[in-house]
Amino acid sequence: MDVELGVQNVARPINFTTDESAEKISKKIAQAVAIHEPIDLVDDKDRHIVVPAGALGYAIVGSETKHAVGFGAL
């Protein structure tokens, strides 16, 4: 699952891939924003991405499908 988090007053977004489902990620973000706690997500390399809930500008949760690359994908 590809995730992109936009942080206020930061020029570049945070992009990472995780093994968690889109529903689980969306739920974690919504809960953290609702109670004003840091958003703590784990990527596919077991690294924690922590973003203050008040600084979150946007979140894009991508598709779970792997996209084919190369001439064989045509």
Side-chain angles (χ1 to χ4, degrees):
M1 177 69 54
D2 295 326
V3 179
E4 179 176 313
L5 301 175
V7 181
Q8 295 176 8
N9 300 318
V10 176
R12 295 185 353 176
I14 300 168
N15 295 300
F16 62 96
T17 303
T18 184
D19 296 329
E20 296 181 19
S21 68
E23 295 167 358
K24 191 172 182 179
I25 293 170
S26 296
K27 187 176 179 180
K28 281 185 176 182
I29 292 171
Q31 286 177 344
V33 170
I35 58 177
H36 304 289
E37 287 190 355
I39 301 164
D40 185 7
L41 301 172
V42 180
D43 70 1
D44 58 355
K45 297 177 184 174
D46 290 329
R47 297 179 294 187
H48 285 263
I49 293 88
V50 181
V51 177
L56 182 68
Y58 66 89
I60 299 174
V61 181
S63 67
E64 293 182 26
T65 59
K66 301 292 182 191
H67 301 288
V69 178
F71 293 107
L74 300 176

